[in-house]
Amino acid sequence: MRKIGVALTALLVLTGCGQNAGEGGLKDAMAAVSGEGPAAAYFEYGEPAWWRDLGVKPGAEQARRWLPASVSGLGSLATAAAALPEATGMTPTAGTRAISIGVPPQQAFRFDGDVDADAVRKKLAALGAKPREMGGHDGLSFSPGDEIDLSRAIVPGVTNQLNQVVVTDSLIATASAPDPLTAVLGGDATLADKPAHAAMATCLGDVAAATIMTPPSGTVTLYGVGLRRPANLNDRPVNVICVLPAAPATADVERALTTRLTPAGTYGKHAPEIAHDRVTSDDHTVLRAVLTLNDTTNAMFANQMLVRGDLQTLITS
């Protein structure tokens, strides 16, 4: 019975649980931001609503391993999430989705869901923010451009990330400068319109947490990692790693990925089941590894590999 269950789990993982891969959450989020600008370099996505519905919250013992996933999409604001509501009226973890784009200093953040816009405006105004139009949107800012006041700590760890803010009844967008703020609010050409990024979303499939980034190396065009949606808190986490190689390096990158990222090697103690395949979308072929983690490994294991540089080292060394 155990063998049948494992086989069925693997089949559901590779087919995206019967849903159209990349459609809905992740690809819709990519369609909400501009593809011209900081999102092309770094895009982080999360679904706070999904994790809330599963009962993932601080203090819930059974949900502890999933807590890192519940703040995906908050970027560098994740560590300040608990302090933001009282200080600013913003509650990113109460939204439906969270998006971070870009790398410092071109970062921006977006939180979609029901928002008490008046409360946010009042708290920001009390902190010194002034009304200002930014990219055709009415907002508030602490300075008109991209000036950084390191003496202003709204909450510990948050300074210029909230320099420019647009708030409505359905979203909050914030950034250190006007250009990334405009980018996170959308554009004529979105990130979902970029064929390489669309292929990456198709490869990642039905995920409730994901990061897509462009590396400096010419060997790989894009990296993507994601966490598939668990049906309940007792599920074993399923991580997805997607790598879009530069065409001349495809064979070498695939060889490195499939021979080094295996259960028989170092990674087996974290993921006893690892499956490799290819995903083709709009003339782009993305290499995919699906890792079913053990009962103790961090649910965001693939994300940790990307952030620490372990994934890049595995492929390019």
Side-chain angles (χ1 to χ4, degrees):
M1 187 69 180
R2 170 65 177 160
K3 291 182 179 179
I4 294 174
V6 169
L8 178 58
T9 299
L11 177 62
L12 290 173
V13 164
L14 292 175
T15 57
C17 302
Q19 299 183 16
N20 294 326
E23 298 292 345
L26 176 59
K27 192 166 278 188
D28 279 358
M30 294 168 67
V33 303
S34 174
E36 304 300 324
Y42 181 89
F43 179 86
E44 182 183 328
Y45 168 73
E47 295 183 14
W50 177 267
W51 303 108
R52 286 199 310 275
D53 289 347
L54 280 182
V56 177
K57 59 183 178 180
E61 183 65 27
Q62 189 181 12
R64 178 179 297 179
R65 72 178 311 183
W66 303 100
L67 281 173
S70 69
V71 294
S72 180
L74 303 189
S76 62
L77 294 178
T79 56
L84 282 173
E86 182 176 353
T88 68
M90 303 177 187
T91 311
T93 55
T96 56
R97 71 180 179 192
I99 299 169
S100 300
I101 65 170
V103 295
Q106 297 294 307
Q107 281 185 305
F109 311 87
R110 173 172 172 162
F111 315 120
D112 293 84
D114 292 334
V115 176
D116 187 343
D118 288 339
V120 174
R121 293 190 188 103
K122 288 177 182 178
K123 285 182 177 288
L124 292 179
L127 291 169
K130 306 297 183 185
R132 186 171 285 116
E133 183 176 303
M134 295 168 284
H137 301 276
D138 292 331
L140 300 100
S141 68
F142 291 93
S143 62
D146 55 2
E147 296 89 348
I148 298 174
D149 181 1
L150 295 179
S151 67
R152 185 200 312 117
I154 294 173
V155 299
V158 174
T159 53
N160 65 307
Q161 296 103 313
L162 304 182
N163 194 26
Q164 317 279 344
V165 179
V166 168
V167 56
T168 72
D169 291 335
S170 61
L171 69 85
I172 295 172
T174 177
S176 58
D179 287 348
L181 180 72
T182 300
V184 84
L185 288 167
D188 294 333
T190 73
L191 195 63
D193 296 325
K194 298 175 74 72
H197 282 79
M200 186 60 65
T202 298
C203 176
L204 289 170
D206 188 25
V207 290
T211 299
I212 301 172
M213 61 177 284
T214 302
S217 166
T219 303
V220 172
T221 301
L222 282 176
Y223 286 105
V225 295
L227 173 62
R228 290 276 170 86
R229 303 172 190 277
N232 59 68
L233 297 179
N234 294 319
D235 279 4
R236 289 164 63 189
V238 175
N239 284 188
V240 186
I241 294 174
C242 295
V243 181
L244 177 59
T250 298
D252 289 340
V253 172
E254 185 168 31
R255 186 180 306 111
L257 190 66
T258 57
T259 60
R260 296 173 182 172
L261 186 58
T262 70
T266 302
Y267 298 99
K269 63 183 180 181
H270 302 289
E273 299 169 39
I274 301 176
H276 291 273
D277 69 343
R278 289 180 165 201
V279 177
T280 301
S281 172
D282 197 16
D283 296 328
H284 288 82
T285 298
V286 187
L287 309 176
R288 178 166 63 184
V290 178
L291 291 69
T292 303
L293 306 182
N294 63 24
D295 293 331
T296 58
T297 296
N298 189 300
M300 297 288 281
F301 177 69
N303 188 76
Q304 290 180 324
M305 287 182 65
L306 182 66
V307 170
R308 290 193 302 244
D310 295 346
L311 179 58
Q312 297 89 319
T313 299
L314 179 149
I315 289 173
T316 59
S317 63

